[in-house]
Each structure stands twice: as structure tokens, then as C-alpha cells.
Amino acid sequence: MSTYRVAQVTAPGGTFELAEREVPQPGPGEVRIAVEACGICHSDALFVNAGLPGVTFPEVPGHEIAGQVEELGPGTHERGWRVGDRVAVGWFGGSCGHCAPCREGDFIVCPNLKVPGWAYDGGFGEKVIAPVDALARIPEGLSASDAGPMACAGVTTYNGLRRSSARPGDLVAVLGLGGLGHLGVQYAVAMGFETVAIARGPEKADFAKQLGAHHYVDSTSGTPVAESLQSLGGAKVVLATAGNSEAITSTVDGLAHRGELVVIGADVEPLGITPVQLLMSARVVRGHPSGTAQDVEDTMAFSALHGIRPMTEPVPLDRADEAFQKMLAGAARFRMVLTNG
């Protein structure tokens, strides 16, 4: 019997432990992936702590997966996939194909979305079975450790910007310089936006400039963030990567007329926005989800073209709990990535 290892938690809020599983066979429309790397996302805590309905234990999270196709299930040859193909799987881990959003081609908001770690075992392991429609091809020149985070953190920031109302030359602000924000700034610069990085503390100014930001706003300086943005002419778009509703709210009055707040940082607290703030300047507030497998491919191709990479800390699979705790503590710089081999 052939086996492989996973890092799993056996109860809500538990610690990660290694376990061996029998190697499964992919079913129709599925492939088995030999996982080379898997990023650790803050959203993984939702699964580990049973914060979403339907999470079962033992739980194997991980939705920033990169590896190689190891075995094809029935019907996958016809879809153009071959053993050895380098692939990534992100938050979009497959869709149902029959709901109203799917019939409209809007697969990422499928109510039956198959998120790895929720609908099936995720990438905190040596192998994973995934639906073929979840696969994104990794381009040459992009390592597995870089490609994994692109499948969630990367595509979310890239897609959030390219689907916004901003055009090259517009003032675009990125709130937060963490796992999402440090990529958001790089994408904004590469897309031709006049880029503002917003974070806490004067010590992050040099880092923001290293990422390419044209301006830096220290939210702790005493000058309101909105005032700082208006002094630059007002932001056409604010990409809110920080999962803090108070910080997100502080940017709204910094939007230009018909400016757009694109929210990708998750927080359970409500935003403190009044209708008047939106009405008088015709501003828009929009939530933005991740992206489909094609969006992930687009993200990786753009990243390879422009030399954009996530800043990662690779850690072996057997240190999964240590890496997860470092991510939870906010001490990761900037994406913890579990690796095999």
C-alpha cells in the first residue's frame, strides 16, 4: 500500500500533527497533484477553527497549492492535461457548473464553490486530489513556492485592481503592506497607477518605496488618512487589503469623486460608512472575491512578465504547526509556505 503524509488538525482549534493516508485515485474529472509547496493563508484559520459551516475533522487546510499532475482521472485527457504539468490550485477549487452564477460564467461566486480544505482535503500534504476546472498552469520561471501564494493572495490583489475603475495614471492607494498588500503595491505600480501605500508606522516608508510605491501614508502620523489622500488629489481606487474595518473606513473620505473602495481584507466588524459619504461624491464600495483558475493563470503570467514575486518563508511540512502559529501571530514576512522535498 502506497501512502503519503498530511498535516492535519483533529479537532477545532487543535494543533497540526502529521498523519499518513493511503494514496487515493482521482475520479472522473479529477487529477492527483504531487504537492511541492502550499502557502498558508489567514483564511485557513476559518477551517482550523471550524469557523465555516460544513468543516469536518480531521481537517487538512491549504488553498495556495503548487505542484505537478501525478495521475489523471477519467475524462481529463480530453481537457488538455498531462502527467507532469505544473499546476496551481487556489481558493477557487472548482465550481458546480449548474447554479445561476456558473451559468452566467461568474464561477468565482458559485454558492457551491469547492474551496480546498473545505470541500476536499487541501494542500497541507504531499498529495491532493482536485477537480480539473481548478487547475491553473504555472509558467516557466515561476517556482512552486512563488506560484502557491499567487493562487490566492496574488490573484485576489491582481484581480481586485484590474477589475477596478482605475486606469493607468490614476491615483491608487493600497491599504496594508502584509501578505496581500506587499503584492498589491507591486501590481499597482506595474499596471501604471500612481501608487500610494498606506500602513502603520514611519519605519515602513522605506519598504513601501522598495516595492515601488510613489507615496507613503503613515496612518499613525496624526494626520487623517483621508486628508493625506486628498492632499494627493484623491484616490480613484483604494484597495483595502488590511482586515481591519476601522482602517478601511478611514480611507473612504480620501476617495476622489466617483472613487471606488475595493475591499479584499476580511473582518467581521461592520464598516462605519454613512450614506452621505457615498452619495455626495458618487462613491462606490465593492467587495472582491479571489479569482477563477484562468484568473490565477493571468496573475502568474503577469507576475512572471514583470518580475513580481511574493516574499515567502519556506518551511518543511513537518513544521506546519510552527508556521501556522507564526502566520496567526502576524510575524510572517510575508507568506509562510509549506514545502515537500
Side-chain angles (χ1 to χ4, degrees), residues 20-88:
E20 290 207 357
R21 305 268 183 91
E22 184 176 354
V23 174
Q25 297 301 307
E30 297 178 337
V31 302
R32 188 174 70 235
I33 300 168
V35 179
E36 296 175 2
C38 185
I40 300 177
C41 179
H42 202 278
S43 299
D44 289 321
L46 292 173
F47 308 127
V48 172
N49 296 318
L52 293 170
V55 174
T56 58
F57 292 84
E59 159 68 21
V60 181
H63 57 268
E64 294 187 344
I65 305 165
Q68 294 189 28
V69 174
E70 187 176 67
E71 186 165 348
L72 299 162
T76 52
H77 286 90
E78 293 85 347
R79 302 283 288 273
W81 297 100
R82 298 291 183 269
V83 170
D85 284 345
R86 300 179 68 230
V87 296

Side-chain angles (χ1 to χ4, degrees), residues 135-289:
L135 305 182
R137 294 186 187 276
I138 300 174
E140 290 185 13
L142 204 62
S143 70
S145 291
D146 288 337
M150 293 292 183
C152 180
V155 69
T156 303
T157 51
Y158 174 76
N159 241 13
L161 288 170
R162 75 164 173 170
R163 298 188 186 282
S164 75
S165 57
R167 295 296 177 264
D170 285 342
L171 189 76
V172 170
V174 178
L175 174 65
L177 281 178
L180 293 169
H182 86 287
L183 287 168
V185 169
Q186 294 178 77
Y187 288 134
V189 172
M191 289 177 185
F193 303 138
E194 183 180 353
T195 304
V196 185
I198 307 171
R200 295 177 57 85
E203 69 280 357
K204 295 180 181 176
D206 287 342
F207 177 58
K209 294 298 176 65
Q210 290 170 19
L211 294 173
H214 303 99
H215 310 280
Y216 177 71
V217 171
D218 173 12
S219 62
T220 67
S221 68
T223 302
V225 169
E227 184 178 321
S228 296
L229 291 176
Q230 288 297 344
S231 72
L232 295 169
K236 180 66 174 179
V237 167
V238 171
L239 182 71
T241 73
N244 183 300
S245 291
E246 183 178 354
I248 295 171
T249 299
S250 73
T251 69
V252 174
D253 286 333
L255 290 168
H257 61 282
R258 298 193 182 278
E260 183 180 22
L261 173 62
V262 180
V263 180
I264 62 176
D267 191 2
V268 297
E269 296 299 320
L271 296 173
I273 302 172
T274 68
V276 171
Q277 287 176 283
L278 305 179
L279 290 170
M280 300 305 290
S281 295
R283 292 165 175 151
V284 174
V285 179
R286 179 168 63 84
H288 173 75

Side-chain angles (χ1 to χ4, degrees), residues 91-92 94-103 106-115 289:
W91 180 266
F92 179 84
S95 57
C96 71
H98 58 75
C99 66
C102 283
R103 293 176 67 186
D106 200 0
F107 303 106
I108 191 58
V109 291
C110 170
N112 306 303
L113 193 67
K114 301 172 185 176
V115 181

